[in-house]
Amino acid sequence: MTPSQASAGALLQLIRSGRANTRADLQQATGLSRSTVGQRLDLLNRAGWLRSSTGSSTGGRPSHRIVFDPTHASVLAVDLETRHARAAVLDLAGTILAEHTGPMDVGEGPEVVLDRLADWFPDLIAAAGITPSHVAGIGLSVPGPVDWESGRVIEPPIMPGWDRYPIRERLQKTFAARTGLDGTDVPVLVDNDANLMALAEYQASHRDCASFVLLKVSTGIGAGVVIGDQLYRGIDGGAGDIGHIRLHDRADALCMCGSQGCLAAVASGRAIAKELAALGLDTASGQDVRRLLNEGHPDAVRLAREAGRRVGEVLVTVVTLLNPGVLMIAGELSGVPFLTGVRELVYQRAMPRATANLQVVTSRLGDHAGLIGAAAMVVEHLYSPAGADARLERLDETGTPR
C-alpha cells in the first residue's frame, strides 16, 4: 500500500483485519508519517469507530492496541424464506442481540411481506437495548436471484410478484414509519440467501479457503461462491443458480420456474415433500421433510439420499470447474442422508485431482447463517475503505458519520 492509497478508510481496513493494530504497525503498513497516521486515527476516533485494547507485550510492559469497536452501531438483518422469516439486531461483529422468528408467506407479495417485517423492528430494537438511531443499516436475505447494484430480485421462480420490485425503497420507507427516523439515512442491502449464507460461513470458519462453495437445499436449490475473500455473483447476480440446471433423464418434471427437468424439480425440499405426500404423509415443504428426517422416517431418509445423489451429479461439474477447498451443504436437507448421497457421487465421478483437497461438510452456523451473512454484507458495505471514507466525509458537527 502506498501513502497515497492509505486513506482513513484504508487504515480502518487494516485495523479491522488485524493486520495492523498499533500506530507503529500502521506506519509500517502504509508508509505514512507518524503525524498523518495520528490525524487519520483522530478522524476514526471522532466517528466512534475505534477503541483501545490493552494486552501484555513480550517485554512485560502493557501494549496498547487499536481495535474496531463492534458495539458503536448495530445492524438489522432479515432472512426471508418461503414460509417463514427471521429478523435480528446484531452488533458489527455479528453477535445477535435480539431475534424474532415467525410465519411469513413470500407468495403474498413484497408490500405485504415487507410491511409485516417492519412491524417486528420496534420490538426487536427495544429488546436489543438500543435506540433506532443506533441502527446503521438493514440487510435482507431473499430466496431468489438478486441484481446487486439495484437490490432488486430478478425473475424469482418462488417469489411471485417480487420481480424488479423496489425493495430498498419500500423497506426504508417502512423503517422510517415504524421508528420516526429519516429512512433514507439507513442503507438497505439485498442479496440472495445462498450468497449470504456462504459469506457468513466463510468468514466464521473458512477464511483460509481460497475457493469456497456453499450449497443450500431447502424449498429450492442454490449455491453461494466465495473466491479469494469475495462473493462471486456473476455479471447480474445469476451466479450459483444451479437449481435450474436441466437433467435430461427427468425432462418430465415440472419446475416452479415453468421449465421442465430442473434439478430443483427432482431434488429440492419441495420435490421430496411432494413425493412423500404421494405416499400419504403430511408434507408440503422442506420444513416438513426436515421434521421427518429428524424422526428417522425411512422414506424421507431414502428420498433425501437419492436427492443428494442427484445434486451430486451436478456438483461434480461445479467441483471440477471451481476446484473448491470446501463444499458446504446447508439448508433443511443438510443432514446425513443427503450429505451421504452428495459425497458418493462427487468422490466417485469427479477426477481425483479435483477432490484430493476437498472437504465436504455441513453448515456450522445453521439457521443463523442467513442473518449473520445479511449483517456482514451491511458491515462490509459501510466499513470498506471506500464506504468508510464516504461516510467520514459527511461527518457532522456531533461527530456522527451519516
Side-chain angles (χ1 to χ4, degrees):
M1 181 182 297
T2 65
S4 62
Q5 296 172 321
S7 64
L11 263 65
L12 181 66
Q13 185 82 343
L14 290 169
I15 293 167
R16 289 182 60 220
S17 68
R19 295 198 301 271
N21 293 101
T22 67
R23 289 178 181 246
D25 289 343
L26 289 167
Q27 284 179 251
Q28 183 176 9
T30 62
L32 295 174
S33 68
R34 180 181 178 84
S35 62
T36 302
V37 167
Q39 290 170 358
R40 294 183 181 174
L41 288 176
D42 286 345
L43 185 58
L44 294 169
N45 278 310
R46 282 174 51 213
W49 295 352
L50 303 179
R51 61 181 173 83
S52 295
S53 173
T54 303
S56 297
S57 69
T58 55
R61 299 178 60 186
S63 61
H64 297 282
R65 293 172 54 81
I66 304 164
V67 297
F68 182 65
D69 182 2
T71 67
H72 78 263
S74 301
V75 174
L76 269 169
V78 178
D79 182 14
L80 179 62
E81 298 280 358
T82 55
R83 290 177 172 242
H84 69 280
R86 295 181 183 86
V89 177
L90 301 91
D91 70 15
L92 303 180
T95 301
I96 295 175
L97 306 177
E99 180 181 359
H100 177 75
T101 301
M104 194 74 65
D105 183 356
V106 73
E108 291 188 280
E111 294 186 3
V112 171
V113 169
L114 294 175
D115 284 359
R116 286 183 184 166
L117 288 173
D119 287 340
W120 296 356
F121 292 168
D123 288 343
L124 272 172
I125 291 170
I130 62 170
T131 62
S133 61
H134 203 256
V135 175
I138 301 172
L140 176 63
S141 165
V142 298
V146 175
D147 177 74
W148 169 248
E149 295 299 327
S150 68
R152 300 189 180 193
V153 181
I154 306 298
E155 300 178 4
I158 58 176
M159 299 178 70
W162 290 76
D163 185 29
R164 293 176 172 81
Y165 183 83
I167 295 172
R168 286 177 177 169
E169 294 81 356
R170 181 73 180 195
L171 207 48
Q172 284 180 324
K173 179 180 178 180
T174 53
F175 175 80
R178 302 304 188 276
T179 63
L181 298 178
D182 182 356
T184 58
D185 283 344
V186 180
V188 174
L189 283 81
V190 186
D191 204 352
N192 169 261
D193 53 2
N195 281 348
L196 295 181
M197 292 171 70
L199 178 63
E201 298 279 5
Y202 168 80
Q203 291 187 348
S205 306
H206 298 285
R207 283 187 179 271
D208 60 343
C209 182
S211 178
F212 174 88
V213 176
L214 178 140
L215 180 80
K216 180 187 179 185
V217 188
S218 292
T219 298
I221 300 176
V225 179
V226 181
I227 302 292
D229 201 42
Q230 297 293 321
L231 271 173
Y232 179 73
R233 297 183 174 93
I235 60 170
D236 59 6
D241 199 11
I242 70 171
H244 300 284
I245 292 176
R246 306 286 180 82
L247 304 178
H248 296 298
D249 62 336
R250 288 301 307 272
D252 59 327
L254 181 63
C255 183
M256 287 287 292
C257 71
S259 298
Q260 291 183 308
C262 293
L263 179 65
V266 299
S268 65
R270 185 191 297 271
I272 296 176
K274 184 177 179 180
E275 291 190 66
L276 290 170
L279 296 174
L281 297 168
D282 183 17
T283 53
S285 68
Q287 282 183 296
D288 297 326
V289 176
R290 177 160 70 173
R291 171 178 52 81
L292 291 177
L293 287 171
N294 290 338
E295 295 171 359
H297 193 284
D299 287 321
V301 170
R302 172 179 58 82
L303 290 172
R305 183 165 179 169
E306 290 177 5
R309 290 176 61 84
R310 279 288 190 184
V311 172
E313 292 180 41
V314 174
L315 289 176
V316 168
T317 301
V318 173
V319 167
T320 303
L321 179 65
L322 297 179
N323 189 207
V326 176
L327 170 61
M328 178 174 284
I329 310 300
E332 290 164 342
L333 300 189
S334 61
V336 172
F338 187 90
L339 182 66
T340 300
V342 168
R343 282 175 167 160
E344 285 177 1
L345 262 290
V346 169
Y347 286 110
Q348 174 186 338
R349 297 193 181 178
M351 294 292 291
R353 176 70 181 80
T355 59
N357 297 298
L358 175 67
Q359 301 177 58
V360 183
V361 301
T362 55
S363 168
R364 296 190 62 178
L365 298 177
D367 290 341
H368 288 131
L371 287 175
I372 294 171
M377 167 180 62
V378 175
V379 172
E380 292 301 315
H381 171 76
L382 292 175
Y383 299 98
S384 67
D389 287 334
R391 296 174 70 210
L392 289 169
E393 287 180 5
R394 300 191 294 272
L395 194 69
D396 63 25
E397 294 179 357
T398 66
T400 304
R402 300 294 182 187

